[in-house]
Amino acid sequence: MDSEIKEEIPVHEEFILCCGVETQVLKCGPWTDLFNDQSANRPKLLIFVITGNPGFSAAYVPFVKALYSSVNKRFPVWVISHAGHALAPKDKKILTTSDDPNAQEVKDIYGLCGQVEHKLAFLRTHVPKEMKLVLIGHSIGCYISLQILKLAPELPED
């Protein structure tokens, strides 16, 4: 493995309530809040990884660190768990935000369509509209990514 990848790369773990369900998000790089960062160094692109089953974000840490390093640490790399597939430790705070009003109607959050809606709700509530996206999906995450592109063509992709 490249020695650059071995150096300490920051990975911030958050548990958020998205569509009423605990969701683990790992954020690689110094950017943890893209909405409130108005600095000149706020990135214009987010690399967003959607996991395969069983949907555990932590399994993707070596991949996202290597990816972050390979883009010269210029863009954040975030990975999201599937809805309900990761529970926050008892001592970990679960962050809440105002959910996307369209996501309130998710009836089967644990089914495939619900997982697609879950990821869309996250993107709409945590990623600014002008931010370009690179979607990466592993296994079922690929299918979810394609459904996101079909259902939300307004999301700027790169």
Side-chain angles (χ1 to χ4, degrees):
M1 192 173 251
D2 194 84
S3 62
E4 247 183 71
I5 296 170
K6 289 181 185 174
E7 77 179 60
E8 192 50 44
I9 294 173
V11 177
H12 177 77
E13 177 187 52
E14 289 181 358
F15 284 88
I16 61 156
L17 206 58
C18 183
C19 300
V21 178
E22 286 181 32
T23 305
Q24 182 185 41
V25 181
L26 300 179
K27 299 177 175 184
C28 193
W31 308 278
T32 58
D33 184 350
L34 295 175
F35 268 113
N36 295 316
D37 180 358
Q38 299 304 318
S39 70
N41 357 340
R42 182 176 101 171
K44 298 189 182 345
L45 181 134
L46 169 66
I47 301 170
F48 190 68
V49 179
I50 302 173
T51 64
N53 277 331
F56 296 118
S57 303
Y60 294 82
V61 169
F63 172 68
V64 297
K65 282 184 170 186
L67 184 56
Y68 178 69
S69 183
S70 74
V71 295
N72 297 319
K73 303 177 184 175
R74 291 179 46 222
F75 307 112
V77 181
W78 291 3
V79 59
I80 188 169
S81 69
H82 293 318
H85 285 223
L87 296 175
K90 294 201 184 305
D91 62 338
K92 190 84 171 171
K93 182 180 177 189
I94 299 172
L95 305 173
T96 58
T97 58
S98 58
D99 272 345
D100 176 24
N102 298 325
Q104 298 298 329
E105 309 252 337
V106 177
K107 290 181 173 80
D108 182 18
I109 190 71
Y110 303 110
L112 186 53
C113 291
Q115 293 291 344
V116 172
E117 289 299 321
H118 171 259
K119 307 312 177 277
L120 276 170
F122 176 85
L123 290 171
R124 289 179 174 141
T125 55
H126 294 276
V127 180
K129 289 181 184 191
E130 66 277 2
M131 176 92 34
K132 291 204 176 263
L133 288 172
V134 172
L135 296 176
I136 298 176
H138 171 233
S139 189
I140 196 65
C142 267
Y143 177 82
I144 293 170
S145 296
L146 290 171
Q147 292 304 303
I148 287 171
L149 294 174
K150 186 163 74 172
L151 295 171
E154 76 279 4
L155 293 173
E157 72 243 21
D158 200 34

